[in-house]
Short mmCIF file of all heavy atoms in Angstrom, two decimals:
data_model
loop_
_atom_site.label_atom_id
_atom_site.label_comp_id
_atom_site.label_asym_id
_atom_site.label_seq_id
_atom_site.Cartn_x
_atom_site.Cartn_y
_atom_site.Cartn_z
N GLN A 189 118.44 176.91 47.43
CA GLN A 189 117.94 177.40 48.68
C GLN A 189 118.97 177.13 49.78
O GLN A 189 119.59 176.09 49.83
CB GLN A 189 116.66 176.75 49.01
CG GLN A 189 115.49 177.20 48.16
CD GLN A 189 115.20 178.66 48.30
OE1 GLN A 189 115.15 179.13 49.42
NE2 GLN A 189 115.02 179.35 47.19
N PRO A 190 119.17 178.07 50.80
CA PRO A 190 118.47 179.31 50.81
C PRO A 190 118.90 180.36 49.71
O PRO A 190 118.18 181.26 49.47
CB PRO A 190 118.84 179.91 52.20
CG PRO A 190 120.13 179.24 52.52
CD PRO A 190 120.09 177.87 51.84
N HIS A 191 120.08 180.13 49.14
CA HIS A 191 120.58 180.95 48.06
C HIS A 191 121.76 180.30 47.40
O HIS A 191 122.30 179.38 47.90
CB HIS A 191 120.95 182.33 48.63
CG HIS A 191 121.93 182.33 49.76
ND1 HIS A 191 123.19 182.02 49.58
CD2 HIS A 191 121.78 182.53 51.09
CE1 HIS A 191 123.82 182.07 50.75
NE2 HIS A 191 122.95 182.39 51.67
N PRO A 192 122.15 180.74 46.24
CA PRO A 192 123.35 180.15 45.55
C PRO A 192 124.54 180.25 46.47
O PRO A 192 124.62 181.16 47.26
CB PRO A 192 123.47 181.02 44.31
CG PRO A 192 122.16 181.68 44.04
CD PRO A 192 121.52 181.86 45.43
N PRO A 193 125.50 179.35 46.28
CA PRO A 193 126.74 179.41 47.09
C PRO A 193 127.43 180.76 46.84
O PRO A 193 127.48 181.22 45.67
CB PRO A 193 127.55 178.25 46.58
CG PRO A 193 126.92 177.73 45.35
CD PRO A 193 125.56 178.17 45.36
N ILE A 194 127.96 181.32 47.88
CA ILE A 194 128.64 182.62 47.82
C ILE A 194 130.14 182.44 47.97
O ILE A 194 130.64 181.82 48.89
CB ILE A 194 128.06 183.57 48.92
CG1 ILE A 194 126.61 183.86 48.56
CG2 ILE A 194 128.99 184.82 48.94
CD1 ILE A 194 125.92 184.66 49.67
N TRP A 195 130.85 182.96 46.97
CA TRP A 195 132.32 182.92 46.94
C TRP A 195 132.81 184.41 47.02
O TRP A 195 132.22 185.21 46.30
CB TRP A 195 132.78 182.14 45.72
CG TRP A 195 132.47 180.73 45.64
CD1 TRP A 195 131.45 180.07 46.28
CD2 TRP A 195 133.13 179.69 44.85
NE1 TRP A 195 131.45 178.73 45.97
CE2 TRP A 195 132.53 178.51 45.11
CE3 TRP A 195 134.26 179.80 44.04
CZ2 TRP A 195 132.93 177.32 44.50
CZ3 TRP A 195 134.68 178.57 43.41
CH2 TRP A 195 134.02 177.39 43.66
N VAL A 196 133.89 184.55 47.67
CA VAL A 196 134.37 185.93 47.80
C VAL A 196 135.86 185.99 47.33
O VAL A 196 136.72 185.48 48.02
CB VAL A 196 134.27 186.37 49.28
CG1 VAL A 196 134.87 187.74 49.40
CG2 VAL A 196 132.85 186.39 49.73
N PRO A 197 136.03 186.59 46.14
CA PRO A 197 137.41 186.80 45.75
C PRO A 197 138.01 187.98 46.50
O PRO A 197 137.29 188.99 46.62
CB PRO A 197 137.33 187.10 44.23
CG PRO A 197 135.92 187.60 44.04
CD PRO A 197 135.05 187.10 45.14
N GLY A 198 139.17 187.81 47.03
CA GLY A 198 139.71 188.96 47.83
C GLY A 198 141.27 188.93 47.74
O GLY A 198 141.87 187.97 47.35
N GLY A 199 141.80 190.06 48.18
CA GLY A 199 143.26 190.08 48.32
C GLY A 199 143.62 189.47 49.65
O GLY A 199 142.86 188.67 50.19
N GLY A 200 144.71 189.79 50.17
CA GLY A 200 145.21 189.15 51.41
C GLY A 200 144.84 189.95 52.63
O GLY A 200 145.69 190.19 53.46
N SER A 201 143.55 190.32 52.78
CA SER A 201 143.27 191.09 53.96
C SER A 201 142.68 190.24 55.04
O SER A 201 141.84 189.39 54.82
CB SER A 201 142.31 192.29 53.64
OG SER A 201 140.98 191.93 53.87
N VAL A 202 143.15 190.46 56.25
CA VAL A 202 142.68 189.66 57.45
C VAL A 202 141.22 189.81 57.58
O VAL A 202 140.49 188.83 57.88
CB VAL A 202 143.40 190.23 58.68
CG1 VAL A 202 142.95 189.38 59.90
CG2 VAL A 202 144.87 190.14 58.53
#
Side-chain angles (χ1 to χ4, degrees):
Chain A
Q189 291 297 316
H191 54 70
I194 292 172
W195 294 24
V196 178
S201 96
V202 181

